[in-house]
Amino acid sequence: FMQRGLDSQTKKQLEEEEKKIISEEHWYLDVPDLKEKESCIIEERSFLRCEDLVYGRMSFKGFNPEVEKLMIQMNSKCKEEEIEEDDKMEADVSDEEMARRYETLVGTIGKKFLRKRDQRVLKDDDEDEDDEEGNSNTRPSKRAKKMFLKPQD
Amino acid sequence: PQGRLLCGPGLRRSGAGLLVTKCGLLRHRPAGGGAYWVDSQQKRYVPVKGDHVIGIVTAKAGDVFRLDVGGSEPASLSYLAFEGATKRNRPNVQVGDLIYGQFVVANKDMEPEMVCIDSSGKSSGMGIIGQDGFLFKVSLGLIRKLLAPKCEIIQELSQLYPFELVLGMNGRIWVKAKTVQQTLIIVNILEACEYMTAQQRKQALAKLSGN
């Protein structure tokens, strides 16, 4: 118990001695800090950062198609306009076709969700022009609601 | 000038000012915070971090290849520094192969190290350069001229016939065309470009395209 107290006392003495030593050195530490803040010049040893140099691998007239793709990629990192143009070109289906397909698509999916009565009405409208003979028994009976069709002999 | 200023090769910071260490033309770029550098001419290459160079494999030492890049020391390239390389899936690199890569460590105190992969893990054109073709050396100034955006020499050459070109910042150029004759023609033009004026060059190309 008493030993710990003694240790703390010796520690305090050591700390005081250290502080005395450091306080003399503190004066020296202040001056270098001021000098370090003045440098706003960056030293650079490569020409790459200074000049606008193109990528070193090149291929012409389709000699090496992979390298030609690379050329476009690397050189367009500086100019991003080409990337936007490429996105517009890549659409496989043209806008007009999309509009046409969409119109028919809406119709077919719309039929799926009609109620039963509406579905029958749709079917009769479609087949009215084609079906004059009255092949099945059910159809004349359905049409009886609208009009009476005589079966042909 | 206030703000951060980039001082490029040929300039060194001393105190509050700049010292010039090389002879040449002083260039200035106002964009991106201003940059000054000295455009000098030399044949000997000094490895610089981030530069893309062509290296020749001289030795295989365990897991590391030694590449000759034209500097004072051979550069080292680890076999894992290729795209898709693992301990079991080793790249097929033999002594005498040509490799296009960039420096990861390059200062005067340490041996230069190269990799064939960029920061996102993709190879983006780096790695082993294929078979055939012709490798030759030019001065560093010509390489920078050729790499400038919209270089006339390259545009005129591309009109002639299909070919492939790899330019290394260490002064090495690798050319490959369909026939040996075409390759040699391109090599001769590129070598002579250094000392020809624009007119002489156009005359020479006109003769070739006529033939």
Side-chain angles (χ1 to χ4, degrees):
Chain A
F1 182 67
M2 288 299 291
Q3 283 176 356
R4 283 182 201 172
L6 279 174
D7 284 344
S8 66
Q9 282 177 10
T10 49
K11 278 182 198 171
K12 282 179 193 172
Q13 283 175 6
L14 283 171
E15 283 175 14
E16 284 167 19
E17 284 170 24
E18 283 175 18
K19 280 181 193 173
K20 283 178 198 170
I21 299 167
I22 292 171
S23 61
E24 289 173 358
E25 291 176 2
H26 266 305
W27 294 108
Y28 294 112
L29 286 172
D30 280 335
V31 175
D33 283 339
L34 287 171
K35 279 188 184 171
E36 280 172 20
K37 285 175 190 172
E38 281 178 10
S39 63
C40 342
I41 304 174
I42 316 168
E43 262 191 39
E44 183 72 44
R45 291 201 45 223
S46 86
F47 283 102
L48 203 69
R49 292 277 305 275
C50 300
E51 304 177 20
D52 221 0
L53 295 179
V54 170
Y55 190 58
R57 267 198 111 141
M58 302 184 215
S59 153
F60 301 106
K61 294 206 172 178
F63 198 76
N64 192 338
E66 292 172 2
V67 177
E68 299 211 343
K69 273 188 221 167
L70 262 176
M71 276 172 76
I72 300 173
Q73 250 184 7
M74 297 306 245
N75 296 337
S76 70
K77 271 181 191 173
C78 312
K79 308 165 192 173
E80 288 176 14
E81 298 165 2
E82 290 184 26
I83 296 171
E84 290 173 8
E85 284 178 19
D86 280 342
D87 287 340
K88 287 178 193 168
M89 293 282 285
E90 278 174 18
D92 291 329
V93 186
S94 73
D95 292 340
E96 289 175 1
E97 246 194 271
M98 269 296 287
R100 259 182 267 150
R101 291 278 168 90
Y102 196 67
E103 274 178 351
T104 52
L105 195 73
V106 165
T108 45
I109 293 187
K111 277 187 202 171
K112 207 176 159 188
F113 296 106
L114 285 177
R115 286 179 291 164
K116 267 195 179 175
R117 277 190 187 175
D118 298 335
Q119 278 179 358
R120 281 185 217 160
V121 168
L122 268 177
K123 272 191 198 168
D124 293 340
D125 286 339
D126 286 339
E127 294 166 1
D128 219 357
E129 299 166 6
D130 301 344
D131 208 22
E132 290 175 9
E133 294 175 346
N135 292 323
S136 58
N137 291 327
T138 51
R139 280 179 193 157
S141 61
K142 283 180 194 171
R143 288 188 186 168
K145 291 176 189 174
K146 290 187 183 173
M147 50 182 269
F148 180 68
L149 269 181
K150 284 186 184 172
Q152 288 180 357
D153 294 330
Chain B
Q2 291 185 356
R4 294 166 84 192
L5 187 73
L6 194 72
C7 82
L11 295 174
R12 195 167 289 193
R13 185 183 49 177
S14 76
L18 288 176
L19 275 183
V20 177
T21 50
K22 291 217 173 120
C23 57
L25 294 171
L26 183 71
R27 303 262 185 221
H28 172 56
R29 184 193 69 188
Y36 290 91
W37 69 93
V38 177
D39 198 1
S40 61
Q41 180 70 291
Q42 62 184 55
K43 285 190 174 182
R44 187 86 183 163
Y45 178 67
V46 172
V48 170
K49 182 175 171 178
D51 260 1
H52 294 268
V53 292
I54 300 181
I56 307 175
V57 180
T58 52
K60 249 180 161 183
D63 290 339
V64 144
F65 306 114
R66 293 249 165 269
L67 298 180
D68 167 39
V69 291
S72 52
E73 280 185 330
S76 68
L77 171 65
S78 161
Y79 75 97
L80 289 171
F82 290 85
E83 187 178 4
T86 57
K87 283 186 184 173
R88 295 195 179 175
N89 180 19
R90 291 178 179 226
N92 186 16
V93 175
Q94 305 301 322
V95 173
D97 272 355
L98 292 177
I99 298 214
Y100 187 63
Q102 66 178 353
F103 282 111
V104 134
V105 169
N107 48 33
K108 60 183 169 90
D109 305 314
M110 289 167 60
E111 181 194 46
E113 286 177 26
M114 277 179 59
V115 285
C116 287
I117 195 175
D118 69 10
S119 51
S120 59
K122 293 185 191 168
S123 70
S124 60
M126 294 191 270
I128 308 175
I129 298 177
Q131 297 293 317
D132 308 329
F134 191 85
L135 180 79
F136 62 103
K137 191 156 166 30
V138 290
S139 70
L140 309 190
L142 182 64
I143 299 272
R144 270 183 279 125
K145 228 199 290 181
L146 291 172
L147 280 175
K150 297 186 189 171
C151 171
E152 287 181 354
I153 309 174
I154 300 248
Q155 281 179 349
E156 286 169 20
L157 275 179
S158 65
Q159 308 294 322
L160 281 179
Y161 23 66
F163 68 98
E164 195 188 339
L165 185 68
V166 179
L167 296 167
M169 295 290 287
N170 53 346
R172 292 187 185 163
I173 306 184
W174 181 82
V175 182
K176 181 175 170 184
K178 281 188 183 162
T179 67
V180 178
Q181 267 191 353
Q182 289 180 350
T183 315
L184 288 173
I185 292 173
I186 300 177
V187 168
N188 286 329
I189 295 182
L190 285 171
E191 276 179 339
C193 266
E194 195 156 2
Y195 303 111
M196 281 204 289
T197 62
Q199 271 190 356
Q200 285 172 333
R201 198 177 61 226
K202 285 177 187 172
Q203 280 175 7
L205 285 169
K207 276 191 215 169
L208 284 171
S209 55
N211 294 338

